[in-house]
Structure formats: C-alpha cells, structure tokens
Amino acid sequence: MASKYLDITGRVAVVIGGTSGIGRALAVGLAEAGANVVPSGRRADKINEICDEIGQPLRHAVDVTYRASIDSLRDAVVQKYGGVDILLNVAGRTIKKPTVDLTEDDWDTVMDTNLNGTLRACQSFYEPLKASGRGRIINIASLSSFVSLYQTAAYNASKSAAMSLTRSLGSEWARDGICVNALVPGVFRSDMNAQLLDSTERGKELLMRTPMKRFGKMEELIGAALLLSSDGASFITGEGIAVDGGFLASGVNA
C-alpha cells in the first residue's frame, strides 16, 4: 500500500544543475524511479553524458544567471512533455577566502547563482507547476543554512537565504498546490572535494563533527528526494530535510 504514495512514474522532473555531483545523482535516482527527468546545466558535453545515461532525448542548456535561459528551458520541457511536475534547483557555487578580502563581485557572483538563480527558476516554473496540481520544488540548502562554515561568508549567507526563500514560497504557494521544500546535504564525497576531505584539517573537522563518522554517498540523498517529489509529501511544505549523518543534531562527539 505504501508504495503508491512514493510512486513518481511518468512525472516530469527538471533538474537544474543536474550534470554533476549531487544534481547528477538525483537526476539518475529520479529517472530510475520512473520519472521523465530533464537534467540541465551550462555545459553541453555534460548534458549529453547524463542524458545518454538516463535515456533523455531532450538536451537543453541553462544558465541560472539569465532569466531568459531558464524560460527557454521551461518552454522546451513543456513543449515536449506537456507540463512539469517537479523542479530541483541544484546549481550552486562557492568562494572560500577571508571575508575581509571578499570583493563585491565575489559576493554578487555567489548570490546571483545560489539565491537569485533559485528564485528565477521558481518564478519561471511556477505556472506549469501550479497547473500540475501536484507541483514539487526541491531546493538545495546546506549545513551553512544553519551553522557557519569558515571563510565562506557569501556561500553561508546565500544558503541561509535559500532556506528562508523555501519557507516563504512553501507558505505562499501552498494554496496553489505546490509544495516547496529543501534538501540539506551534509558532507558528501565527490571528485572535486576528495582531496580536501582526506588531506586537510578542514576535512578532519567535518568528519569529527559527523556522528556517523563517515562522509555521505551521493545515492543516500535519493530517498529524501523521492519522498519530496511524491504524493507522500503532499502535506510537507516549507521544510528542510537534513541528510547529514547527524551533523546538525550533534554537539560534542567525543
């Protein structure tokens, strides 16, 4: 009986930032669960790789810093599939440097992708998600939505704001049948961060502060994403689900 509440077979999911890392893992996971997944990003070669893997014929690049680019992706998906049921906003970037040295351009660059880009996508896809009658938006928040990470002030602020935006839209769009929630990933190993996690004091501290005493595997995010994409989440909105090995719940771990 419970399986029908988590069934997303045939639903149309757009994953912005779905060509690498967390976005790629979520795109594959939703596709394996039966959704028609359209992963997108800025690089055509990466889009082709993931689309080949999941059997998606629609290949359309997107740059979240340009509203017209997002609108073009939306129109292409609606034209092919007739609508959109699920939107995942995964595109993001960070800059690590002492805040005293952070330039306004650094700040604006991070904010424009992580916060403004998320807002642009939510606004652009609002009408098809409302028309779906079971629209789902999943934003990607961060540990830094709740705690400070050292020397990443712009990223921290952008992800705190993205979580606040999730709450605002979750409340405002509930009457339109759109559930807006966030995933809050802990520390997940990837090709890009493996050296940092394994060979630096920062990596050691992140591991020490994670009660499970290991870093996450990308596929461990899929279950929460499936829940938030499905009818099982029909009464969940404006929330953040932490998938972090206990990081945010912990105090002293030794």
Side-chain angles (χ1 to χ4, degrees), residues 94-123:
T94 187
I95 294 174
K96 183 181 183 297
K97 64 168 60 174
T99 303
V100 69
D101 297 326
L102 197 69
T103 68
E104 289 193 17
D105 284 343
D106 291 334
W107 180 273
D108 291 343
T109 294
V110 173
M111 285 291 181
D112 200 32
T113 295
N114 296 0
L115 178 60
N116 299 348
T118 296
L119 174 62
R120 291 184 190 106
C122 290
Q123 289 176 326

Side-chain angles (χ1 to χ4, degrees), residues 178-243:
I178 303 172
C179 296
V180 186
N181 293 291
L183 283 180
V184 184
V187 186
F188 285 77
R189 184 185 300 279
S190 69
D191 292 340
M192 294 182 63
N193 67 13
Q195 183 176 3
L196 180 148
L197 295 182
D198 296 337
S199 307
T200 68
E201 290 303 312
R202 193 181 185 92
K204 291 178 184 177
E205 182 177 357
L206 289 168
L207 184 61
M208 179 271 292
R209 292 189 60 182
T210 303
M212 286 191 179
K213 299 304 179 187
R214 66 176 178 84
F215 300 122
K217 303 172 185 177
M218 292 294 183
E219 59 268 25
E220 291 180 302
L221 285 164
I222 294 171
L226 285 174
L227 169 63
L228 294 179
S229 299
S230 72
D231 290 344
S234 59
F235 204 56
I236 302 173
T237 197
E239 297 294 333
I241 295 182
V243 186

Side-chain angles (χ1 to χ4, degrees), residues 2-233:
S3 62
K4 70 178 182 179
Y5 297 109
L6 301 178
D7 185 11
I8 60 169
T9 301
R11 299 194 189 186
V12 180
V14 176
V15 185
I16 295 178
T19 60
S20 63
I22 289 173
R24 183 186 180 100
L26 294 178
V28 171
L30 295 186
E32 289 178 346
N36 294 308
V37 178
V38 182
S40 191
R42 292 184 297 172
R43 294 179 53 182
D45 59 332
K46 294 297 184 181
I47 295 172
N48 287 331
E49 285 179 12
I50 181 63
C51 286
D52 285 344
E53 181 176 346
I54 66 175
Q56 172 55 253
L58 178 58
R59 288 123 197 258
H60 199 294
V62 70
D63 184 339
V64 298
T65 64
Y66 294 96
R67 185 176 298 272
S69 178
I70 301 172
D71 289 347
S72 179
L73 172 63
R74 175 204 62 206
D75 293 345
V77 176
V78 171
Q79 181 177 12
K80 178 169 180 57
Y81 288 107
V84 179
D85 303 298
I86 304 160
L87 171 66
L88 280 75
N89 289 308
V90 192
R93 65 187 305 163
T94 187
I95 294 174
K96 183 181 183 297
K97 64 168 60 174
T99 303
V100 69
D101 297 326
L102 197 69
T103 68
E104 289 193 17
D105 284 343
D106 291 334
W107 180 273
D108 291 343
T109 294
V110 173
M111 285 291 181
D112 200 32
T113 295
N114 296 0
L115 178 60
N116 299 348
T118 296
L119 174 62
R120 291 184 190 106
C122 290
Q123 289 176 326
S124 178
F125 280 83
Y126 167 79
E127 289 296 344
L129 288 168
K130 180 180 178 181
S132 164
R134 55 189 182 191
R136 302 286 186 267
I137 295 175
I138 303 174
N139 296 324
I140 300 297
S142 167
L143 297 175
S144 67
S145 300
F146 303 94
V147 298
S148 173
L149 301 183
Y150 187 63
Q151 291 187 342
T152 55
Y155 180 80
N156 299 347
S158 72
K159 287 300 185 178
S160 295
M163 190 64 240
S164 180
L165 177 64
T166 297
R167 296 187 186 101
S168 294
L169 296 184
S171 300
E172 187 175 339
W173 292 356
R175 66 195 65 188
D176 299 317
I178 303 172
C179 296
V180 186
N181 293 291
L183 283 180
V184 184
V187 186
F188 285 77
R189 184 185 300 279
S190 69
D191 292 340
M192 294 182 63
N193 67 13
Q195 183 176 3
L196 180 148
L197 295 182
D198 296 337
S199 307
T200 68
E201 290 303 312
R202 193 181 185 92
K204 291 178 184 177
E205 182 177 357
L206 289 168
L207 184 61
M208 179 271 292
R209 292 189 60 182
T210 303
M212 286 191 179
K213 299 304 179 187
R214 66 176 178 84
F215 300 122
K217 303 172 185 177
M218 292 294 183
E219 59 268 25
E220 291 180 302
L221 285 164
I222 294 171
L226 285 174
L227 169 63
L228 294 179
S229 299
S230 72
D231 290 344

